[in-house]
C-alpha cells in the first residue's frame, strides 16, 4: 500500500511541474504533472528498492530532488541489517540516478538496527548533508565532498533524539538542523558556506516526537515550528525571540510549511495531521504567528503529514495519502484567502 514519504514529498521541479513521491513495498512511486499548473498528472513511475521502511525527500536551490531511504534486510531469519540508500533526480519526469548505499554510522549490529529515518539538507554549493540518529543518541552527519565523493560519518553529538530530525537551507545556502529531544528541540546551524555545523541554543518547550519543521520567514532567518509534547498545540520561534503558541491540534508527526502570497500578502501556511486523523491547515501573515493562525480542518483523513507546495502558477497545492493508500491533490481556488477546490485522486498504477 502507498504511504507518504517524509520531508518535502510534493515538489516543484526545474520546469515548474509538480511531482509527488510516495513509498510502497515495491519502492518509490512518483507522479509528475503533464504541464506546469495543469492539474493533469502522469504516472505513477516506480523506482524499485527492496526493504524500504521509509523515504525522505529533499531539494536544493538547483531543484534537483534527493531521495534518502532507510533500508532493512534479513537473511535466513537473522538480525536485521539496516543501511541508508540515496538517489538523485536531476530533471522533472526523468528517471532517478542509481541507488547507492551510504552505509550505517553505527558499527554494532544492535545499534545499527536502531537507525532512524534520515533528514537531508542541500547547501548553496549543492552539497548534500544527510543527518540521522539512533539508539546511542545524538546526530550523525554524512555529506558529499566538493569532488562528489562521500565523506566519512561525523558525530555532531547532542542528547537522545525523539524521532526524525529536520534539515533545510536558507536562501543564502546555509544549512540548519533541528532534532527533537526529550526536553527540548536541539538545533545546529551553519554560519558560513562550507563550514561545519555548530550547536546552537536549544528551543523549548519540549516537542512531540518527530514534529519539528523549518521555514525561512525573512532573508536568511528560519522560523522553527514544533508540536508541544503534552498536546497544547504548535509552537513557533525565531532567533532572539521567545517561543510562542500558535494553536492547532496536531497528532504525532512533523508539520509541513510553505510561504505563499494570498490576497497580495506574504503568508505562512502550515499543515499537519490532526488528532482526529484529518488534514488540518493553518494560515497567518509571515512573521505574524504571535497574532494567531486561522486553522481549518479539511475533513479528509490522511496517513502521515500532508504536503504543501506552490504550483507553476503560484497557487497553493495540498497533497495527502489516504487511509486506503490513495494520493489526493487539492489546489487553491481563485477566491479571497486560501480557499481549496475539490480533492482529486492521482492515477493508480
Amino acid at each position: 500500500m502507498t504511504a507518504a514519504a517524509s520531508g518535502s514529498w510534493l515538489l516543484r521541479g526545474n520546469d515548474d511541474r509538480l511531482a509527488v513521491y510516495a513509498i510502497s513495498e515495491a519502492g518509490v512511486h512518483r507522479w509528475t504533472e503533464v504541464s506546469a499548473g495543469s492539474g493533469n498528472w502522469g504516472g505513477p513511475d516506480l523506482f524499485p528498492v527492496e526493504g524500504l521502511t521509509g523515504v525522505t525527500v529533499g531539494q536544493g536551490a538547483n531543484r534537483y530532488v534527493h531521495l534518502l531511504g532507510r533500508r532493512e534486510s534479513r537473511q535466513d531469519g537473522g538480525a536485521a541489517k539496516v543501511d541508508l540508500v540515496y538517489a538523485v533526480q536531476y530533471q522533472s519526469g526523468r528517471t532517478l540516478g542509481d541507488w547507492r548505499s551510504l552505509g550505517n554510522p553505527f558499527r554494532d549490529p544492535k545499534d545499527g538496527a536502531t537507525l532512524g529515518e534520515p533528514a537531508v539538507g542541500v547547501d548553496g554549493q549543492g552539497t548534500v548533508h544527510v543527518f540521522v540518529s539512533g539508539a546511542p543518541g545524538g546526530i550523525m552527519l554524512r555529506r558529499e565532498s566538493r569532488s562528489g565523493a562521500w565523506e566519512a560519518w561525523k558525530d555532531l553529538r547532542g542528547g537522545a533524539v525523539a524521532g526524525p530530525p529536520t534539515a533545510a537551507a536558507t536562501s543564502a545556502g546555509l544549512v540548519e538542523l533541528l532534532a527533537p529531544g526529550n526536553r527540548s528541540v536541539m538545533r545546529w546551524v551553519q554560519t558560513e558556506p562550507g563550514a561545519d555545523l555548530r550547536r546552537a541554543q536549544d528551543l523549548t518547550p519540549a516537542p512531540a516526537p518527530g514534529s519539528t519543521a523549518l521555514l525561512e520567514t525573512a532573508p536568511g532567518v528560519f522560523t522553527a515550528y514544533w508540536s508541544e509534547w503534552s498536546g497544547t498545540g504548535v509552537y513557533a520561534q525565531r532567533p532572539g525571540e521567545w517561543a510562542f503558541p500558535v494553536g492547532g491540534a496536531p497528532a504525532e508527526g512533523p508539520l509541513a510549511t510553505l510561504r505563499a502570497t494570498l490576497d497580495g500578502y506574504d503568508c505562512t501556511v502550515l499543515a499537519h495531521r490532526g488528532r482526529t486523523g484529518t488534514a488540518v491547515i493553518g494560515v497567518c501573515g509571515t512573521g505574524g504567528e504571535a497574532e494567531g493562525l486561522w486553522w481549518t480542518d479539511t475533513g479528509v483523513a490522511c496517513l502521515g503529514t500532508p504536503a504543501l507546495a506552490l504550483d507553476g502558477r503560484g497557487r497553493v497545492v495540498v497533497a495527502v495519502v489516504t487511509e486506503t493508500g490513495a494520493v489526493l491533490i487539492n489546489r487553491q481556488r481563485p477566491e479571497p484567502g486560501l480557499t481549496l477546490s475539490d480533492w482529486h485522486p492521482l492515477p493508480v498504477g
Side-chain angles (χ1 to χ4, degrees), residues 100-193:
R100 66 184 74 177
S101 175
L102 298 184
N104 188 317
F106 306 114
R107 295 184 178 181
D108 181 273
K110 291 184 179 179
D111 289 340
T114 68
L115 191 73
E117 290 189 22
V120 57
V122 186
D123 70 15
Q125 289 73 46
T127 300
V128 181
H129 295 63
V130 177
F131 305 94
V132 72
S133 64
I139 291 288
M140 302 297 293
L141 162 66
R142 193 172 188 189
R143 64 182 180 183
E144 280 186 306
S145 67
R146 293 185 179 181
S147 67
W150 286 88
E151 299 174 355
W153 288 100
K154 180 178 181 179
D155 190 353
L156 297 184
R157 303 188 182 279
V161 178
T166 300
T170 66
S171 55
L174 302 179
V175 173
E176 187 163 323
L177 171 72
L178 298 179
N182 293 327
R183 298 181 179 180
S184 64
V185 179
M186 294 175 283
R187 179 170 168 252
W188 288 259
V189 298
Q190 193 179 41
T191 56
E192 59 184 45

Side-chain angles (χ1 to χ4, degrees), residues 8-32:
S8 302
W9 57 273
L10 172 65
L11 289 172
R12 196 170 77 204
N14 43 27
D15 62 358
D16 283 339
R17 288 189 292 162
L18 292 174
V20 168
Y21 301 83
I23 182 176
S24 74
E25 292 182 357
V28 176
H29 294 266
R30 182 194 67 198
W31 293 260
T32 307

Side-chain angles (χ1 to χ4, degrees), residues 88-100:
V88 58
Q89 174 192 297
Y90 295 105
Q91 291 182 299
S92 297
R94 300 293 182 90
T95 189
L96 300 182
D98 293 336
W99 290 95
R100 66 184 74 177

Side-chain angles (χ1 to χ4, degrees), residues 176-189 199-207 212-214 222-226 235-243:
E176 187 163 323
L177 171 72
L178 298 179
N182 293 327
R183 298 181 179 180
S184 64
V185 179
M186 294 175 283
R187 179 170 168 252
W188 288 259
V189 298
R199 185 77 180 269
Q201 184 175 3
D202 287 5
L203 311 177
T204 55
T212 54
L214 289 164
F222 275 126
T223 298
Y225 301 93
W226 68 97
Y235 275 73
Q237 186 170 2
R238 279 178 285 278
E241 299 182 7
W242 294 101

